[in-house]
Amino acid sequence: MTRDVVIIGGGVIGLAIAWELKLRGADVTVLCRDFATGASHAAAGMLAPDAENISNGAMLSLCWRSRALYGEWTRKVEEITGLNTGYWPCGILSPIFSQQEQSYTYLSPSSRESPAFWLDAEVIKQYQPGLSEDVVGGWWYPEDGQVDNQALTQALRTGAMTLGVEFKDGVKVEAIAQHQGKVAGLQTNLGLIQADHYVLATGAWANELLPIPVQPRKGQMLRVRVPESIAELPLTRVLFGQNIYIVPRRDRSIIIGATSENVGFTPHNTPAGIQNLLQGATRLYPALQNYNIEEFWWGFRPATPDELPILGASHCPNLTLATGHYRNGILLAPITGKLIADLISEEKTDPLLADFHYSRFQVQSSTTTQMLTHPANFTNGHHNHLSLSTSEETIPDSQLIIAGKAFKSRLMTGTGKYRSIEEMQRSVASSGCQIVTVAVRRVQTKAPGHEGLAEALDWQKIWMLPNTAGCQTAEEAIRVARLGREMAKLLGQEDNNFVKLEVIPDPKYLLPDPIGTLQAAEQLVKEGFAVLPYINADPMLAKRLEEVGTATVMPLAAPIGSGQGLKTLANIQIIIENAKVPVVVDAGIGAPSEAAQAMELGADALLINSAIALAQNPPAMAQAMKLAAIAGRLAYLAGRMPMKEYASPSSPLTGTISA
Ligand code: FAD
Ligand code: GLY
């Protein structure tokens, strides 16, 4: 067993690990630059896997397991310290305003392990008096709850000290010194600190020490207080609305949160941030407008590209990672402490840890041969500094972001035209794609090849892009887009608002209608969709669509299904030059060389279906397209040599010996 462990970071995650390791008999030291600046201090303390609508299966299991530990875990901390943690399994109410939101939330997941109950307008208002008149119903999540995160971190720290954990405050780790593949020590402002084992638990600051993709996501908060004139607590359960939550504490304070801002480590509260919070909160629970405001603050959530934490082993055998807990670090503290302590002290690896391993963001520096033999191994993972790597060189890349969602792969595929479902499944797998487009109408009517599609792909791993294929008018496309959103929700993608917009009136050439597409896009953007419009390669139309707020533009390279290649190259080039949203080249690509060429030009991504499905060996072609997309992207980033009119010798002529 590892006896001597140093934990970098004294937020709730570092503290929970210190606590569990100490209980298992290790010597533990916690180094922390500043205890009060972490997200753990700034949080709201909700224990809310259900209200937060977590859709990733492994993450949901992790959260549920942690929530189940909370009662006993806090009881033990309270017993040892005599301090209250404010743990309160009060349940969370999630009121809904509009009919539209309501129809979607009828699909809210409910399970035996964690039931959810729909309350209609009358019942919810009886259940929680004082809600806005505009509330039309809501979900009740009885298993969710809260803890007073500031009280909890204080109690955990006191408890850990009581058990014998050593705390070194004001110590900043400046670098992790590595030697022969192991951590040799930590360079700090107090000199070198060494141990048998190290844990990185520095929250949003993790990538100051290691190249792991953790970024700050700022949240602003405020606190009001229930006036003394009100005898009983008016709120006894958390209210969780759209972009707003209200967390009543037993001490009569009420936390209101939170913004979610991608502004790096920009400090301070802003008028816009606070205004949004006050507006959202008083709309949900109007009485708040007369309560005293006590405090404003902000904090930085540790966010990863897939919004899942990074837990477990690192590239060094004596360094363990525990960061990236994003919106749920308070909730996840007990399970993180347990799993990490089991791993370090007993070398016990819980199977769940596999889903949170840091390597999911790594590009394997594999050779092409390895990629060809093990296609599943080559995930061109990315983060802020995605790397595309050859066996020798690494080129930094940015991730493909569509409507705020990050994707590792730049190749999207479809499900149509395959000879069998099984062939489609193998092709999707070997394409390495993360986005698969699905024709909503064909799934709904169970058209040939579209039966069983819901079960055929793992929608926890693949992001569904519902498309409006078969729609001839804007009205039809809007209707089908709404159905598509429900379809994605039914498959567990609660937050999927993507739609590939196709308005195609002409059955012969299958050319999209620019006016109908623009009209439908405008409406769908207003309804909150992330619209990915399929268009002819028309730069002016692309610009207009971008202006109405579409998430991408998807110009066709040649008529759908024709495999004619890059017929519209010149126009696609203009679109790429001017677009501020991702340009996805769609339709017409027939061969990997064309896919690579489109990416070389600077397209952000490709959508390829027929060229894969109609190949003689679709899974092999899917793999070829994957490699072509990677090669093209790498070439684009590497920068092509300039073309010259005349030959230029490969070897320099200077310094040659003349006879
Ligand atoms: P932190 O608490 O940020 O701690 C990291 C610590 O490491 C800091 O103290 C920092 O000073 C220290 N450190 C960093 N770099 C170094 C270094 N080089 N050397 C030494 N020390 C260093 N989660 C929930 O579960 N429920 C909620 O309701 C909730 N609400 C939230 C609301 C807001 C506004 C925010 C910002 C977050 C919220 N969260 C919530 C998320 C949760 O707070 C975080 O996921 C969690 O606190 C992360 O804990 P941590 O210990 O990893 O990081
Ligand atoms: N979990 C609440 C937040 O991060 O704001």
Side-chain angles (χ1 to χ4, degrees), residues 20-238:
E20 292 292 330
L21 277 171
K22 194 71 207 171
L23 288 177
R24 288 162 177 73
D27 289 336
V28 186
T29 304
V30 178
L31 307 180
C32 194
R33 183 170 63 184
D34 177 3
F35 279 92
T37 55
S40 306
H41 199 72
M46 291 178 295
L47 310 175
D50 295 334
E52 288 268 2
N53 243 320
I54 290 166
S55 58
N56 177 285
M59 178 69 169
L60 195 56
S61 301
L62 194 74
C63 289
W64 280 348
R65 271 175 71 181
S66 204
R67 191 182 58 188
L69 292 175
Y70 238 95
E72 181 52 24
W73 188 66
T74 47
R75 194 198 55 71
K76 204 162 176 178
V77 175
E78 290 180 354
E79 191 180 277
I80 288 180
T81 61
L83 297 173
N84 194 337
T85 61
Y87 171 60
W88 187 6
C90 56
I92 295 188
L93 204 53
S94 192
I96 305 288
F97 283 113
S98 75
Q99 292 296 339
Q100 196 192 1
E101 281 174 51
Q102 186 186 15
S103 69
Y104 295 128
T105 48
Y106 272 122
L107 306 169
S108 186
S110 187
S111 71
R112 248 186 314 139
E113 202 173 347
S114 200
F117 301 98
W118 174 256
L119 310 180
D120 65 23
E122 207 177 314
V123 176
I124 197 170
K125 283 172 197 162
Q126 276 171 8
Y127 201 51
Q128 178 53 65
L131 288 178
S132 157
E133 275 311 304
D134 300 340
V135 166
V136 296
W139 284 96
W140 168 233
Y141 302 111
E143 304 287 325
D144 281 353
Q146 61 158 306
V147 67
D148 180 338
N149 44 291
Q150 293 184 359
L152 171 72
T153 44
Q154 185 54 46
L156 262 178
R157 191 174 140 89
T158 308
M161 264 184 203
T162 310
L163 294 179
V165 171
E166 191 183 346
F167 282 86
K168 292 193 173 163
D169 296 357
V171 176
K172 179 175 183 207
V173 175
E174 281 153 2
I176 299 178
Q178 296 174 45
H179 182 64
Q180 294 184 336
K182 287 187 75 180
V183 175
L186 305 175
Q187 282 165 10
T188 74
N189 53 338
L190 299 186
L192 190 70
I193 294 182
Q194 291 180 298
D196 293 337
H197 200 97
Y198 305 83
V199 179
L200 183 80
T202 49
W205 295 269
N207 87 353
E208 288 176 4
L209 293 173
L210 281 184
I212 47 174
V214 180
Q215 294 290 313
R217 187 70 53 80
K218 182 176 170 184
Q220 301 191 45
M221 306 272 275
L222 68 108
R223 186 198 313 272
V224 297
R225 183 162 287 278
V226 180
E228 289 304 325
S229 55
I230 301 174
E232 272 195 22
L233 283 185
L235 280 173
T236 50
R237 46 189 65 92
V238 174

Side-chain angles (χ1 to χ4, degrees), residues 211-492:
I212 47 174
V214 180
Q215 294 290 313
R217 187 70 53 80
K218 182 176 170 184
Q220 301 191 45
M221 306 272 275
L222 68 108
R223 186 198 313 272
V224 297
R225 183 162 287 278
V226 180
E228 289 304 325
S229 55
I230 301 174
E232 272 195 22
L233 283 185
L235 280 173
T236 50
R237 46 189 65 92
V238 174
L239 301 182
F240 194 102
Q242 282 244 310
N243 305 321
I244 193 80
Y245 49 74
I246 301 173
V247 185
R249 299 274 202 246
R250 280 190 172 123
D251 69 358
R252 304 176 67 83
S253 66
I254 296 180
I255 315 286
I256 297 174
T259 62
S260 182
E261 301 163 65
N262 227 336
V263 291
F265 286 108
T266 311
H268 303 301
N269 291 106
T270 60
I274 296 302
Q275 189 182 17
N276 278 340
L277 296 181
L278 290 173
Q279 249 168 15
T282 52
R283 179 172 181 224
L284 194 56
Y285 189 72
L288 286 177
Q289 56 200 315
N290 299 317
Y291 293 8
N292 288 346
I293 297 181
E294 286 200 325
E295 195 185 353
F296 302 111
W297 68 94
W298 69 93
F300 300 106
R301 303 174 184 89
T304 60
D306 58 11
E307 300 181 356
L308 307 180
I310 298 175
L311 300 176
S314 73
H315 60 295
C316 295
N318 61 341
L319 173 66
T320 301
L321 308 176
T323 180
H325 291 73
Y326 189 39
R327 294 180 65 94
N328 293 291
I330 306 297
L331 164 66
L332 289 171
I335 193 74
T336 303
K338 179 179 166 11
L339 298 188
I340 298 294
D342 283 350
L343 183 69
I344 296 172
S345 64
E346 291 157 36
E347 293 181 12
K348 253 177 30 195
T349 306
D350 190 285
L352 253 188
L353 282 177
D355 288 276
F356 305 105
H357 199 258
Y358 80 100
S359 61
R360 69 187 190 274
F361 299 116
Q362 275 209 322
V363 181
Q364 299 201 349
S365 62
S366 45
T367 61
T368 305
T369 329
Q370 278 172 313
M371 289 192 271
L372 286 171
T373 29
H374 304 290
N377 284 347
F378 189 82
T379 50
N380 54 331
H382 62 276
H383 43 95
N384 233 16
H385 333 285
L386 162 71
S387 301
L388 284 178
S389 133
T390 63
S391 49
E392 270 130 37
E393 293 293 336
T394 300
I395 297 188
D397 193 2
S398 59
Q399 51 199 336
L400 171 66
I401 309 262
I402 301 180
K405 195 165 169 66
F407 296 97
K408 296 173 184 174
S409 165
R410 288 177 182 269
L411 173 63
M412 309 175 188
T413 61
T415 55
K417 301 186 181 170
Y418 284 96
R419 295 171 192 99
S420 67
I421 285 258
E422 192 259 335
E423 199 173 68
M424 183 273 287
Q425 288 169 316
R426 286 174 43 228
S427 304
V428 167
S430 68
S431 75
C433 73
Q434 289 180 297
I435 300 183
V436 171
T437 188
V438 172
V440 178
R441 292 182 79 146
R442 296 193 182 119
V443 173
Q444 293 240 322
T445 54
K446 294 202 165 52
H450 289 76
E451 322 87 331
L453 198 61
E455 299 77 33
L457 293 175
D458 181 353
W459 297 111
Q460 296 210 342
K461 297 208 175 105
I462 303 258
W463 188 247
M464 177 182 281
L465 176 56
N467 70 56
T468 62
C471 294
Q472 298 189 332
T473 63
E475 295 70 36
E476 257 183 291
I478 292 167
R479 204 165 35 78
V480 170
R482 291 178 189 141
L483 291 174
R485 180 147 76 173
E486 295 202 24
M487 189 166 93
K489 280 178 196 289
L490 276 172
L491 294 176

Side-chain angles (χ1 to χ4, degrees), residues 419-627:
R419 295 171 192 99
S420 67
I421 285 258
E422 192 259 335
E423 199 173 68
M424 183 273 287
Q425 288 169 316
R426 286 174 43 228
S427 304
V428 167
S430 68
S431 75
C433 73
Q434 289 180 297
I435 300 183
V436 171
T437 188
V438 172
V440 178
R441 292 182 79 146
R442 296 193 182 119
V443 173
Q444 293 240 322
T445 54
K446 294 202 165 52
H450 289 76
E451 322 87 331
L453 198 61
E455 299 77 33
L457 293 175
D458 181 353
W459 297 111
Q460 296 210 342
K461 297 208 175 105
I462 303 258
W463 188 247
M464 177 182 281
L465 176 56
N467 70 56
T468 62
C471 294
Q472 298 189 332
T473 63
E475 295 70 36
E476 257 183 291
I478 292 167
R479 204 165 35 78
V480 170
R482 291 178 189 141
L483 291 174
R485 180 147 76 173
E486 295 202 24
M487 189 166 93
K489 280 178 196 289
L490 276 172
L491 294 176
Q493 297 187 358
E494 278 293 311
D495 55 341
N496 190 337
N497 60 347
F498 279 38
V499 61
K500 181 181 175 224
L501 177 61
E502 297 184 21
V503 181
I504 304 182
D506 133 59
K508 182 171 178 200
Y509 301 105
L510 293 176
L511 288 171
D513 168 6
I515 295 159
T517 305
L518 188 60
Q519 284 168 343
E522 209 160 0
Q523 177 60 28
L524 289 169
V525 168
K526 278 191 196 138
E527 291 184 21
F529 281 88
V531 181
L532 291 78
Y534 169 63
I535 56 171
N536 207 330
D538 174 347
M540 281 318 298
L541 176 62
K543 190 158 179 288
R544 292 292 305 276
L545 284 162
E546 195 178 316
E547 282 164 5
V548 305
T550 62
T552 63
V553 286
M554 301 185 74
L556 57 82
I560 300 182
S562 68
Q564 288 174 11
L566 301 175
K567 294 288 181 209
T568 59
L569 197 61
N571 277 7
I572 288 182
Q573 218 160 352
I574 300 174
I575 294 176
I576 290 172
E577 260 172 47
N578 291 290
K580 292 191 191 65
V581 292
V583 177
V584 184
V585 174
D586 184 8
I589 286 178
S593 53
E594 293 149 10
Q597 198 187 351
M599 293 302 288
E600 276 172 38
L601 283 180
D604 296 278
L606 307 169
L607 197 155
I608 303 176
N609 182 66
S610 303
I612 297 174
L614 302 180
Q616 286 184 19
N617 182 339
M621 185 57 83
Q623 199 178 338
M625 291 296 188
K626 171 174 102 173
L627 297 174

